[in-house]
Structures are given as C-alpha cells and as structure tokens.
Amino acid sequence: MDQNPATAPLPGNGPHPTNGPLDGDPGLQPERTALAWGRTVLTLIAASAVCLRWLPDQGPFVLAMFGLTVTAGTGIYATQRRRYRRSVEGILAGHLSPDIAAVFWTAGACVALGALGVWLVLS
C-alpha cells in the first residue's frame, strides 16, 4: 500500500490505507491546525455575509470588503490540503517549519478588512 503522507486523505475522510490514522494519533497538531484554518474560513464567510447586509445602506464600497473576505476565505480553503500534508510530512520527518507566508497573508487580509471597516464607519 501507499505509505506516502502526501497522498493521505484529509481528517474526516477516514483512516489512512495503512490500517490507521495517518500519523498514529488523531489529536496531533495537523488536525488541530486544519480545524483552526477551517474556523478562520467560517469567520470570513460570516464577515462577508455582514458586508452584504450593509450594501443597501453603504453602497458599492461594501463590495470591496465582500471581495476581500471571499478572496481570503477561498485562498485559505484552496491551500488547506497542502498545509495539512506539509504538516504531517514535517512531523513524520521530525522537522517542521511554520508556514509564514500563509500567516502573513491572512494577517494582511484581516488588517485590510479592518481598515476598510474603519473607513466605512468614519465616512
């Protein structure tokens, strides 16, 4: 059977074909990290819904906020599988470096969303 962690299913898709969870302990960091990124995506979806609610009162400026939240959420969702596999491979290899680009990209999107929100409230 295939022993390569890069071809393993995501959490919740059943055990690894080699007779158990991919990394031997379903409570290890990759699962917790995947859940945290999932919560971040849900938060961005909620924020985009709030943005659309303001559209009739605030006008098209709100579409920039909506676009930012949808883009950030889509980017996180699209790269989640890669981040999970990278984490599992790093744990199995005994060396894992943080995904600094993902953290900075998400932080930048949150700062930009906050700045747009402040501008919206002050205008």
Side-chain angles (χ1 to χ4, degrees):
M1 292 202 172
D2 185 15
Q3 298 285 335
N4 183 358
T7 60
L10 283 173
N13 290 348
H16 190 263
T18 60
N19 75 2
L22 178 61
D23 43 24
D25 183 357
L28 282 178
Q29 183 198 346
E31 286 78 15
R32 291 191 312 266
T33 303
L35 289 171
W37 282 109
R39 287 189 301 270
T40 303
V41 169
L42 287 175
T43 302
L44 288 168
I45 290 170
S48 67
V50 169
C51 292
L52 286 180
R53 185 169 184 239
W54 290 341
L55 186 60
D57 297 330
Q58 301 297 328
F61 176 75
V62 175
L63 291 177
M65 295 175 67
F66 174 76
L68 179 63
T69 55
V70 169
T71 301
T74 302
I76 290 170
Y77 182 76
T79 59
Q80 186 170 354
R81 182 176 297 262
R82 178 188 54 83
R83 279 191 309 274
Y84 176 77
R85 287 184 180 154
R86 188 178 154 276
S87 295
V88 170
E89 289 171 350
I91 288 173
L92 292 175
H95 176 70
L96 180 62
S97 59
D99 190 358
I100 295 171
V103 172
F104 277 121
W105 188 84
T106 304
C110 290
V111 167
L113 182 60
L116 288 172
V118 168
W119 183 349
L120 182 68
V121 169
L122 294 177
S123 62

